Amino acid sequence: MALSEFAHTNILDTDQFSRKDLETILDTARRIDELQQQRKAFGILEGSVLASLFFESSTRTRLSFETAMNRLGGRVVSTVGFQFSSISKGETLYDTMKMVEAYADIAVIRHPVEGSSRIASAAVDIPVINAGDGTGQHPTQALLDLYTIFKERGGVDGKRVAFIGDLKFGRTIHSLIKLLFNYDVELVLISPVDLALPESYRREMKKSGMSFEETEDLKALWDCDVAYVTRIQEERFVDRSEYERLKNSYTVNRAFVQASRKDTLIMHPLPRVNELSTDVDDLPNAAYFRMAGYGVIVRMALLTLCMGETLPDAKHVTGM
Ligand code: NCD
């Protein structure tokens, strides 16, 4: 692939991508997956350092970015939480990023404030990847969600996709909906009225001509090809009693999934609380644990592309 085909160095929001960009990302991820399966080594980021800056809780996103960098032959430096960084001493994010730029070649940042990754990226000349900014965006999760639907169901066009749970605060949903503007899909938004998708997204959906319906009835997922289940985002509620009132709004369990009229693919960005029962886990259409593996592949592709690297020809790589 020629360098000019992928013009992005930063990944801040899913609306920066065209359908062509998405094809490039998916294609790069597929090729990386093949190389991994053949146990081929290609340390294309050898000598590069990733700064892994996680100022909010994370298991999958942080570990999969760090694993991805390691698998590409690069190294990782990291800081976790505000408590152990100089931000707790009053340092601004701008100053922190100026330091990071002196240490690393690329940075990935998770931060509780919406828009923070843009501030971080404006401070530095190295590529910056948003790994979740408050209730805003989580673009790399959305890209791995997209990869999952392609990998498990062969494509996205023509699919009916349900989003279930906290559509108000769930940043993974916000990012994935924006990505889906590039495809021909029908959306079914299932949530309590108080956790409905913010109006700004609905406005954009109408503008783009996307077909969608909204309901509180979980049974609407029985007609869908994909069900994207999410937890109620406890940490985003200002009023604790509101969380207590809404926290048990939905539970998707095995019997419910098996009643579906379609072979509905069950996705979840994880972590789950009680909206998705463990008795779903061993159904073949439960994709969420496989998604954790796809996350490494997709993040390897994103690190490669943002660093302006190209994958080697299959014949030029060595066995591991
Ligand atoms: C999500 C997040 O952080 O937004 N988790 C993740 O990155 N896989 C979803 C969530 O926390 O509910």
Side-chain angles (χ1 to χ4, degrees):
M1 181 193 37
L3 272 187
S4 57
E5 278 185 38
F6 192 80
H8 306 276
T9 44
N10 301 309
I11 298 181
L12 304 178
D13 189 327
T14 42
D15 65 7
Q16 74 188 70
F17 296 120
S18 64
R19 183 154 170 158
K20 178 92 191 59
D21 292 327
L22 298 174
E23 278 160 17
T24 301
I25 293 168
L26 294 173
D27 205 50
T28 307
R30 272 185 220 113
R31 287 174 60 205
I32 288 177
D33 192 13
E34 264 169 40
L35 291 168
Q36 293 273 297
Q37 282 180 25
Q38 295 162 16
R39 301 193 61 73
K40 297 278 175 67
F42 52 105
I44 52 176
L45 293 190
E46 209 177 310
S48 296
V49 176
L50 167 74
S52 166
L53 313 170
F54 279 78
F55 299 111
E56 238 192 5
S57 315
S58 174
T59 302
R60 271 150 295 273
T61 308
R62 184 169 70 83
L63 291 183
S64 64
F65 262 114
E66 295 183 1
T67 303
M69 191 60 175
N70 282 312
R71 288 207 186 280
L72 292 166
R75 303 256 171 149
V76 179
V77 292
S78 61
T79 182
V80 175
F82 287 117
Q83 194 191 349
F84 298 110
S85 92
S86 284
I87 290 187
S88 69
K89 301 180 191 169
E91 185 166 71
T92 60
L93 181 59
Y94 179 90
D95 282 4
T96 299
M97 291 308 293
K98 284 295 191 201
M99 299 310 105
V100 166
E101 186 178 28
Y103 306 142
D105 306 290
I106 182 165
V108 52
I109 180 166
R110 171 170 287 191
H111 193 285
V113 177
E114 190 171 342
S116 50
S117 63
R118 255 177 225 290
I119 294 170
S121 134
V124 294
D125 285 329
I126 60 170
V128 171
I129 300 180
N130 178 5
D133 61 333
T135 57
Q137 291 285 310
H138 191 351
T140 67
Q141 175 70 42
L143 290 163
L144 91 82
D145 296 335
L146 187 70
Y147 181 81
T148 301
I149 304 173
F150 269 86
K151 175 103 183 161
E152 304 256 341
R153 291 295 185 262
V156 174
D157 282 326
K159 299 274 188 287
R160 199 170 158 83
V161 180
F163 286 97
I164 298 129
D166 190 342
L167 314 195
K168 179 179 180 188
F169 295 125
R171 59 191 172 195
T172 65
I173 292 174
H174 300 166
S175 283
L176 185 52
I177 286 179
K178 282 191 179 188
L179 267 196
L180 293 177
F181 286 153
N182 290 284
Y183 297 90
D184 175 22
V185 290
E186 285 175 15
L187 299 193
V188 181
L189 308 175
I190 308 173
S191 75
V193 173
D194 291 326
L195 295 178
L197 192 70
E199 183 53 36
S200 60
Y201 288 91
R202 264 184 276 154
R203 222 178 300 123
E204 274 189 72
M205 288 159 79
K206 283 182 198 146
K207 211 167 98 196
S208 79
M210 182 183 255
S211 146
F212 69 98
E213 4 177 309
E214 294 182 275
T215 175
E216 286 192 78
D217 186 359
L218 193 57
K219 292 192 188 80
L221 82 74
W222 288 345
D223 287 321
C224 292
D225 303 286
V226 176
Y228 191 92
V229 187
T230 62
R231 76 183 165 94
I232 309 294
Q233 306 276 301
E234 178 177 3
E235 69 277 30
R236 310 291 178 207
F237 282 76
V238 180
D239 179 353
R240 178 86 210 159
S241 63
E242 270 295 278
Y243 172 70
E244 291 299 329
R245 182 172 70 80
L246 293 165
K247 70 178 184 189
N248 294 320
S249 299
Y250 299 106
T251 301
V252 174
N253 62 25
R254 188 182 184 95
F256 197 83
V257 171
Q258 287 180 322
S260 178
R261 286 181 273 276
K262 292 193 169 184
D263 181 24
T264 310
L265 186 69
I266 307 297
M267 294 174 62
H268 194 305
L270 300 176
R272 67 174 152 194
V273 187
N274 51 10
E275 68 287 347
L276 180 61
S277 305
T278 52
D279 65 2
V280 178
D281 295 0
D282 61 356
L283 290 177
N285 49 334
Y288 34 95
F289 290 127
R290 292 191 291 279
M291 288 167 70
Y294 303 152
V296 175
I297 301 289
V298 170
R299 288 177 174 122
M300 285 173 80
L302 297 175
L303 290 171
T304 301
L305 291 166
C306 287
M307 292 289 286
E309 294 293 343
T310 48
L311 293 181
D313 280 348
K315 56 180 181 300
H316 290 135
V317 290
T318 55
M320 285 199 246

